[in-house]
Amino acid sequence: MNLSPNKRIALNIIVTYGRSLFALVCGLLVGRWSLLALGETDYGLSAVVGGLAVFISFINSLMAGAVGRFYAYTIGIGQKDRETALQDGRKWFNSALLIHTAGPALLLLIGYPVGLYAVQHWIGVPLERMDACIWVWRFVCINCFIGMVTVPFGSFFYAKQLLVEPTIYSMITVLLNAGMLYYMVTHPGDWLIFSAFWTCLLGVSPEIVKMIRAFYLFPECRFYAKYLWSWTRTKALLNYAGWMMFGALGAISKNQLLAILVNKQYGPNVTAAVSVANHVSGNLTIFSGGMINAFQPAIVNACGAKDFTRMRKLAFMTCKFGTMLIVFFALPVALELPKIMQVWLKTPPKYTVELCWFILAMVVIDKTTVGHQLAINANGKIALYQAVLGSILVLTCPLAWWLIVCGTGVYSVGISLVTTMAFCAWGRVFFARCLVDMSIGYWLRKIMLPLFLTITVSGGVGFLPQLVMPASLLRIFVTGVCTEIVLITLTWLFLFDRKERDVIMMKLKIYMNKAVSYTHLRAHETGR
């Protein structure tokens, strides 16, 4: 199906948004059922042990990002020379295939014994759960290994903005996971090892299917021995991914080292609270994440085609829409979080609500500059940018430890997360101005000021039901309705500019006219 770039973006947003709604509903159930099936201790241990593979997972995602970036950049060039782009795509594919075959084997050879040692001696696993946690680690490693090997194939779906098929696989996976967890809850037992196996199976299966499908769908996915080794392409891929990895090391410490620090200081029960908070924010970020996945390849395509005006426009739109998609769901949830947690988990781990507030604030701050991040990555000159922002994120864990020493307690985790993310956001704005000429003044006037006013006023209106109603499901509903009405109204009036409003209205009129025409046609055919 041949679609224009704007229609392709719109289709991908609709598809990923639908998947996100589905994943949010299932994800909330999954979080509750996981906690009920495993119990607080096993749930916390599963999060910590699984977190040891985050280094490998991050390398995987970074290499996937590097491969996808060069794929998408080549596709952008192909707007002017299709044959050259096809050959370049095959060269990048074969170089990536070599890296993603040799690299995972080396990482597994080194990473498995290191992780095994950490499980046995470092992260504080109770002796009676040691064998189960070792099996969890083994399944995590298998999942990571196969996920890395299949990256050169799956990346083409995103580089070519064909997100419908991966979305279907994702929805099937989410549904199967929810069904199995419900079975585990209704059949109590020791589920820790099987839960790790099931997670591994659901992670591996769609990647293998995408690999097979990519071979048949994309002519670039062909093996050519003469293209396997190229020092220029290998260096470009590893250099790009290497600097991305430096920045990601800060993200690893931000999430996983903090979890280990909390587990050491306060035990698995408080670690479970951090895990629940991350689960809530993770499900809410699914919405903006889907939208970002729709914009990212389009931004890189525009950069490859040297259409920098369109690239900057798409990047600013990503900041705007990415933030509002988070706020649309996060704000009413944050206002009624204590009651929602009580309904959802019945007895949530201590500190869960407070940590959720901190992490939701961190996520909103992050999304305000996500477009800057995508534009910088598309440009490719990321060395200094990643070095600076990675260094800031690395400070998250030391800052949390220092605050704990000072007596701030568990809230040190939230304070450190919000503080370092705020510095990172400003770092992105500065580097985007220097590297891709994204105006700081435009971002402040057209995005940040309307966002601040919209969130403040909507939050104030959403808080009013708490002044006159007791905590209940009815108040959650009223709060949500009041907040969303004000959010939608202010977003339309202040966040969208005139051109964006005109485009939306034009699209709505087109779809309404099509619907009316189809209805009249069906009525006419029925009458005959």
Side-chain angles (χ1 to χ4, degrees), residues 186-501:
T186 55
H187 295 75
D190 186 354
W191 288 108
L192 183 57
I193 296 177
F194 180 81
S195 174
F197 164 75
W198 183 246
T199 302
C200 175
L201 182 63
L202 292 183
V204 164
S205 300
E207 297 304 319
I208 294 176
V209 173
K210 282 192 289 185
M211 180 180 69
I212 297 171
R213 287 285 296 154
F215 179 80
Y216 287 101
L217 288 175
F218 308 126
E220 294 90 345
C221 293
R222 298 293 182 270
F223 176 79
Y224 291 94
K226 62 180 179 180
Y227 292 156
L228 274 178
W229 175 251
S230 168
W231 172 242
T232 302
R233 290 191 297 273
T234 301
K235 180 182 177 182
L237 283 168
L238 294 179
N239 185 59
Y240 187 90
W243 282 111
M244 291 286 287
M245 182 175 67
F246 185 88
L249 287 174
I252 292 173
S253 67
K254 176 173 70 70
N255 294 317
Q256 301 306 322
L257 294 182
L258 279 176
I260 294 174
L261 176 65
V262 169
N263 195 60
K264 279 286 190 181
Q265 291 288 328
Y266 304 107
N269 290 346
V270 178
T271 304
V274 176
S275 182
V276 170
N278 283 323
H279 182 80
V280 172
S281 66
N283 278 284
L284 291 175
T285 54
I286 287 174
F287 292 96
S288 66
M291 186 275 304
I292 291 167
N293 287 336
F295 273 98
Q296 182 175 8
I299 291 173
V300 183
N301 287 167
C303 186
K306 308 300 180 185
D307 189 353
F308 298 114
T309 300
R310 175 174 170 77
M311 182 191 73
R312 286 189 287 269
K313 179 182 178 181
L314 290 173
F316 281 126
M317 289 176 63
T318 306
C319 295
K320 185 185 300 184
F321 295 145
T323 305
M324 283 313 301
L325 282 175
I326 283 291
V327 172
F328 189 81
F329 292 96
L331 186 57
V333 168
L335 289 170
E336 290 288 352
L337 195 56
K339 183 61 179 178
I340 289 173
M341 283 294 174
Q342 182 183 351
V343 173
W344 178 34
L345 298 178
K346 294 185 178 179
T347 307
K350 191 178 180 181
Y351 305 114
T352 299
V353 172
E354 294 84 354
L355 289 173
C356 272
W357 280 330
F358 278 115
I359 291 177
L360 289 176
M362 178 200 70
V363 170
V364 171
I365 293 171
D366 175 41
K367 298 307 175 187
T368 59
T369 57
V370 69
H372 299 74
Q373 177 186 5
L374 297 182
I376 294 169
N377 290 342
N379 176 263
K381 298 177 181 178
I382 62 171
L384 184 60
Y385 162 75
Q386 291 291 351
V388 173
L389 267 67
S391 299
I392 292 173
L393 287 175
V394 165
L395 295 175
T396 305
C397 195
L399 177 60
W401 175 81
W402 179 74
L403 289 172
I404 289 173
V405 171
C406 292
T408 311
V410 176
Y411 304 124
S412 305
V413 175
I415 295 171
S416 62
L417 287 170
V418 172
T419 301
T420 53
M421 184 52 68
F423 279 103
C424 281
W426 275 105
R428 290 174 186 167
V429 172
F430 172 77
F431 278 100
R433 176 65 181 85
C434 297
L435 296 175
V436 293
D437 198 28
M438 290 181 66
S439 170
I440 297 177
Y442 182 90
W443 175 72
L444 289 172
R445 293 191 312 273
K446 299 297 184 179
I447 297 176
M448 289 306 297
L449 181 59
L451 279 173
F452 176 77
L453 294 175
T454 299
I455 294 172
T456 302
V457 174
S458 301
V461 173
F463 183 75
L464 293 178
Q466 298 189 28
L467 301 178
V468 295
M469 298 176 66
S472 63
L473 291 176
L474 177 61
R475 196 181 78 180
I476 293 175
F477 174 77
V478 172
T479 298
V481 171
C482 293
T483 305
E484 303 302 6
I485 290 174
V486 178
L487 268 176
I488 293 171
T489 303
L490 295 181
T491 298
W492 179 260
L493 294 176
F494 297 109
L495 193 60
F496 291 160
D497 58 34
R498 179 174 295 179
K499 290 182 179 179
E500 290 168 341
R501 290 196 293 267

